Structure formats: structure tokens, C-alpha cells
Amino acid sequence: MPRFHGQSNHAPVDIVNQLQKQYVDYLSSLFHEGVLDDQFTQLQKLQDESNPDFTVEVATLFFVDSDKLINNMAAALERSPVDFKQVDADVHQLKGSSSSIGAMRVKNLCITFRSFCETQSYEGCLICLQQVKNECAVLKDKLQNLFRMEQQIVGAGGSVPLMD
Amino acid sequence: MASNGLVSPRRRSSDQFDGSDPSPCGSEEVHVLAVDDSLVDRKVIERLLKITSCKVTAVDSGLRALRYLGLDEEKTAGDFNGLKVDMIITDYCMPGMTGYELLKKIKESSALREIPVVIMSSENVLARIDRCMEEGAEDFIVKPVKLSDVKRLRDFMTRDVGDGTSSDGGGTTHKRKLRESFHESPPSSTVSCASSSAPAASTTRSRSPSPSPSPSVSSSKPVTATTDFDFMGFFSIRGKSNNGRHVEDSDQHLNCLKEETVA
């Protein structure tokens, strides 16, 4: 059985293959559902031995950022009168960072959210805020699953497949 | 140099220098100043630039950029804070000073106007693009920024360096040169010369102005998972003071959003 230098353990090849296949299937489903778009693949391509955690790091930054922005939006919507320009500015920021990591559904929700800011629709904004919150939570959950699968593959001595 | 000697069959570490494959830029690396208020975008652009073998300094505002370039109220232009900057890449929409305003200030400065400035924007608005190009921007990239965008910039920079005159003789046509080069297919080979990677704290570094950028020592991380991003809690950042959203004036809206956007 081939040995991989630097690996702490090495599972049988068919287990690695199975893990890799599950990973590819899961990631494919995320693209298929529109949770992620090609920009996510772009980020994965930037990962290598010198930056093995790049995608996780960017995702982490995104969630720190989005949490703060969502809290800002919620606070702004609670104030009277509502400063829709400020909410819009925060949504714009979230749209930008979600686009940069390939979080397509979040990005699209932000586009809708901005149109409600423009028309100064309080109810529309509240609904969008809730949807954005939910979508970020879903994304976080799915990315955690994805990264967990990556760790399992690497831990078993395999390499993480890149989507084309 | 990876200490465990692991070499992936797929990809070599960008920190390894392959002596048999000389860098097209010779011994000098391209130093890019990246300006973006978004922490996520700064991280991405920084990585994109490093992977194309550029030295990167990332700052989070136009003001900080000007300060780094030695162009602020107290100092005279040309009083450089650090290494010579070969290119500036800036986000358009930022609180305080927009990328457009930064561009204007740079082009107004006799010391800095020769530095190519690239604008990045999420909005693909022709009026905005034209305005930036008229003001002397080298190129305009629609976000999200991809590796192909940065490679194109890199190729442009290495063509420009050491070749003083452009083939069209410079002048106003030079402004369009980079945009037009997009239609040519850039060289497909990636550069694998030694890159100086700033320590991972470069994004937090922008908070406290440092007098000089990091030395050119490559620090490659070990392949095993680092403790900063442990598996179960890997969405929590420990010990980071900068949680990203730097707004110089919290009441200030993004002025760039007042522009008309394309339907």
C-alpha cells in the first residue's frame, strides 16, 4: 500500500475514494441548489500547502462580518425613524462579501433587500432581514459539513478533490 | 519551505523557489498596495496577489493608503513609508474616501501619478468605468475578483517593467492598453518564484500603521490543521482584535451608492 509522507495515518484506498465521492456529491449539491456559485471554486483554487486553510479562513471572516452587519441592520430597523440609507449601506456590504465567497443565495437575497431599502418598505426589510439571517445560518451549517468532510479526507491520507 | 517535506503532486507551494524557472520579473517583485474596507475582500485580493507572486500591502481605507504612500497633510510627497509601490488596486465603494477620490489624489500627485491604479467594483456601471478611466485608472475590475483578473494585471505589470515604452507610444491610448489586453489570451503559465508572504496578521496590521512592510521571508504553514481554526469551532476567531468593519465615520453613508446604478 502506498505511503504518503507526512500523513499521520492512511486509511484503505477505497475508504478515501468513498469519502472523496461523498464530498464531491455534497459540494455538487450545493452548487446545484444555488447555495454556492463558481466564486467558491475560485477560492478553493487559491488553497495550497502554504495556505491549507484559506477557504476556512475566508469563510470564518465572512461569518464574523455578516453577523456584525446583520446586527447593525436589525438595530437600524428598530430605530425610529428608520435610517434606510444606513441599512442599505450594510446590505450593500453584505452583498459584496457574500459575492466574494460565492455565497450566491445570500447575495441574491441582498439584492432583493436593497430594493426594499430603496422603496423604504419597513415590512419588506424585516422579511428580508429574517431571510438573510436564515440563509447565513444554513450556509454556515453546510460549510461546516463541507469542511468536516475535507478534514476526514485529509486525515485518511487523501487529497481534497477540486471541482472543475 | 515546508518542514515535513510534503510535496503535493498537484501543486507546489508558492513559497518554493524553483531555481531552474526564472521569474519573468527578474529579481524584483511587484509590490501592490491593495485598498478595500471589506475584510473578506482584503483577504481574497491579498491571496490572489500573493499567489501570482506579488508582494502585498493591504489597507482598509483611502486615507491609510495615502498615508502609506507618504501623501498626507503633514508629510511631503515622496516621503515613502515603506517599499516602492508598483501598483495600487482599490475598491471603488468605501466609506470616507471612495476609490475614485483616491485615484484622483494619486493622479494629482507628481510623485505618485505614474503608479498604475486599478479600480475594483461590484457595480458594472459604464458611467463609473468611464469616469475612472478618464481619471487615469489603468483598469477596472468587476467584483468578485478572480485569479484570471489578477493574472492579467500581473502580466501587464511584468510587460511594463523593464520595457519603458508601450508599443502604442503611450499617451491616452496607454490607458486603454490593459483593458484591451483582456481580449488577448494571457500567457497560461503561472509564476512560481519565491514570494514574500507577509505574516498572516497583515489584515490586523492595517489597524496600527507600521513603518515598514514585512521582510521577504516566506513562512509556510505546516500541512496539519492549525489551532486557530479548530474543527468544531472553526467559525470563531480567537485573539483577533480587528473584526473587520472599519468605518471612519460611522454615520457616513457610502457616497458611491448615491450614483445611479444600472438597471
Side-chain angles (χ1 to χ4, degrees), chain A residues 4-7 38-39 42-54 56-65 68-69 72 83 85-90 92-101 114 118 139-141 143-145 147-149 151-152 154 159-162, chain B residues 2 4-8 10-16 37-41 43-44 47-48 51 91 93 95 122-123 143-148 203 219-226 229-237 240 242-245 247 250-254 256-258 261:
Chain A
F4 290 86
H5 295 294
Q7 299 295 343
D38 179 66
Q39 183 64 16
Q42 292 283 320
L43 294 187
Q44 288 189 306
K45 286 180 179 168
L46 303 182
Q47 197 159 280
D48 62 17
E49 297 83 38
S50 66
N51 283 262
D53 300 316
F54 177 71
V56 172
E57 290 170 14
V58 179
T60 307
L61 291 177
F62 171 75
F63 288 111
V64 169
D65 204 44
K68 187 163 189 197
L69 287 171
N72 286 353
D83 184 349
K85 282 206 170 76
Q86 185 55 57
V87 179
D88 183 63
D90 288 332
H92 172 84
Q93 302 281 42
L94 184 59
K95 175 174 157 275
S97 52
S98 57
S99 160
S100 293
I101 70 157
R114 288 195 72 192
E118 266 164 65
L139 179 68
K140 193 175 201 175
D141 187 57
L143 286 181
Q144 278 177 322
N145 292 341
F147 295 142
R148 192 172 297 125
M149 289 166 108
Q151 291 246 354
Q152 285 172 344
V154 171
S159 59
V160 179
L162 255 189
Chain B
N4 58 9
L6 178 74
V7 176
S8 157
R10 275 192 301 132
R11 212 193 315 238
R12 292 177 72 85
S13 162
S14 60
D15 286 327
Q16 292 177 12
D37 63 312
S38 159
L39 183 57
V40 170
D41 288 356
K43 178 139 184 107
V44 173
R47 180 70 188 135
L48 285 170
I51 215 171
D91 190 27
C93 229
S122 53
E123 317 287 324
K143 283 181 163 184
V145 185
K146 299 179 186 25
L147 193 56
S148 55
T203 46
S219 54
S220 60
K221 290 164 87 177
V223 174
T224 51
T226 60
F229 296 96
D230 83 73
F231 183 59
M232 291 313 287
F234 54 46
F235 291 132
S236 62
I237 295 181
K240 298 233 175 169
N242 177 8
N243 61 359
R245 195 120 306 273
V247 178
S250 56
D251 291 334
Q252 195 162 22
H253 302 298
L254 296 172
C256 54
L257 296 183
K258 291 179 188 160
T261 52

Side-chain angles (χ1 to χ4, degrees), chain A residues 26-162:
Chain A
Y26 190 70
L27 186 53
S28 299
S29 73
L30 296 182
F31 287 118
H32 191 69
E33 290 164 24
V35 174
L36 296 174
D37 63 27
D38 179 66
Q39 183 64 16
F40 186 78
T41 310
Q42 292 283 320
L43 294 187
Q44 288 189 306
K45 286 180 179 168
L46 303 182
Q47 197 159 280
D48 62 17
E49 297 83 38
S50 66
N51 283 262
D53 300 316
F54 177 71
T55 319
V56 172
E57 290 170 14
V58 179
T60 307
L61 291 177
F62 171 75
F63 288 111
V64 169
D65 204 44
S66 59
D67 281 352
K68 187 163 189 197
L69 287 171
I70 287 170
N71 287 339
N72 286 353
M73 292 170 206
L77 286 168
E78 273 167 36
R79 275 181 223 118
S80 185
V82 174
D83 184 349
F84 285 101
K85 282 206 170 76
Q86 185 55 57
V87 179
D88 183 63
D90 288 332
V91 179
H92 172 84
Q93 302 281 42
L94 184 59
K95 175 174 157 275
S97 52
S98 57
S99 160
S100 293
I101 70 157
M104 190 163 87
R105 278 216 292 240
V106 176
K107 182 192 75 179
N108 289 339
L109 283 173
C110 288
I111 293 172
T112 310
F113 199 158
R114 288 195 72 192
S115 63
F116 284 121
C117 290
E118 266 164 65
T119 57
Q120 307 207 347
S121 161
Y122 177 69
E123 280 79 17
C125 283
L126 280 187
I127 292 170
C128 281
L129 178 65
Q130 193 54 49
Q131 287 183 331
V132 160
K133 251 192 203 169
N134 291 346
E135 194 53 49
C136 283
V138 165
L139 179 68
K140 193 175 201 175
D141 187 57
K142 290 183 190 267
L143 286 181
Q144 278 177 322
N145 292 341
L146 194 73
F147 295 142
R148 192 172 297 125
M149 289 166 108
E150 285 184 5
Q151 291 246 354
Q152 285 172 344
I153 293 170
V154 171
S159 59
V160 179
L162 255 189

Side-chain angles (χ1 to χ4, degrees), chain B:
Chain B
M1 194 67 189
S3 55
N4 58 9
L6 178 74
V7 176
S8 157
R10 275 192 301 132
R11 212 193 315 238
R12 292 177 72 85
S13 162
S14 60
D15 286 327
Q16 292 177 12
F17 179 73
D18 186 350
S20 65
D21 188 10
S23 150
C25 56
S27 56
E28 285 182 26
E29 282 182 292
V30 175
H31 179 210
V32 182
L33 176 66
V35 191
D36 201 318
D37 63 312
S38 159
L39 183 57
V40 170
D41 288 356
R42 263 202 317 282
K43 178 139 184 107
V44 173
I45 193 70
E46 193 174 16
R47 180 70 188 135
L48 285 170
L49 288 167
K50 281 182 186 166
I51 215 171
T52 49
S53 307
C54 296
K55 268 206 269 275
V56 189
T57 302
V59 297
D60 62 1
S61 72
L63 265 185
R64 288 229 154 91
L66 290 177
R67 241 175 263 154
Y68 183 82
L69 293 162
L71 188 69
D72 60 14
E73 308 88 61
E74 273 122 55
K75 297 181 184 172
T76 56
D79 186 11
F80 285 119
N81 240 350
L83 296 178
K84 178 178 169 296
V85 170
D86 299 307
M87 181 166 76
I88 297 162
I89 182 163
T90 177
D91 190 27
Y92 185 94
C93 229
M94 297 188 289
M97 189 186 298
T98 66
Y100 177 70
E101 287 160 356
L102 175 62
L103 166 69
K104 281 212 297 190
K105 286 222 153 52
I106 289 165
K107 293 304 168 185
E108 280 163 14
S109 154
S110 51
L112 302 176
R113 71 164 65 105
E114 291 308 310
I115 305 176
V117 181
V118 174
I119 309 283
M120 302 178 282
S121 175
S122 53
E123 317 287 324
N124 193 1
V125 180
L126 199 55
R128 178 179 289 188
I129 297 171
D130 283 347
R131 195 182 316 125
C132 290
M133 300 308 281
E134 288 308 310
E135 203 56 49
E138 209 59 53
D139 200 2
F140 189 100
I141 298 177
V142 178
K143 283 181 163 184
V145 185
K146 299 179 186 25
L147 193 56
S148 55
D149 295 320
V150 178
K151 278 184 181 168
R152 196 174 93 247
L153 292 181
R154 185 73 172 81
D155 294 340
F156 165 74
M157 289 304 298
T158 51
R159 259 204 303 245
D160 217 37
V161 168
D163 178 36
T165 54
S166 62
S167 53
D168 15 21
T172 46
T173 52
H174 185 63
K175 284 182 201 164
R176 294 283 167 188
K177 186 186 174 194
L178 182 54
R179 292 237 86 200
E180 286 159 7
S181 78
F182 180 65
H183 299 294
E184 308 163 9
S185 34
S188 54
S189 60
T190 42
V191 179
S192 61
C193 62
S195 67
S196 71
S197 44
S202 63
T203 46
T204 54
R205 187 183 283 268
S206 65
R207 279 292 211 173
S208 47
S210 73
S212 59
S214 55
S216 48
V217 173
S218 45
S219 54
S220 60
K221 290 164 87 177
V223 174
T224 51
T226 60
T227 53
D228 276 0
F229 296 96
D230 83 73
F231 183 59
M232 291 313 287
F234 54 46
F235 291 132
S236 62
I237 295 181
R238 281 175 224 133
K240 298 233 175 169
S241 53
N242 177 8
N243 61 359
R245 195 120 306 273
H246 173 83
V247 178
E248 301 205 8
D249 177 358
S250 56
D251 291 334
Q252 195 162 22
H253 302 298
L254 296 172
N255 294 319
C256 54
L257 296 183
K258 291 179 188 160
E259 295 169 14
E260 292 170 47
T261 52
V262 76

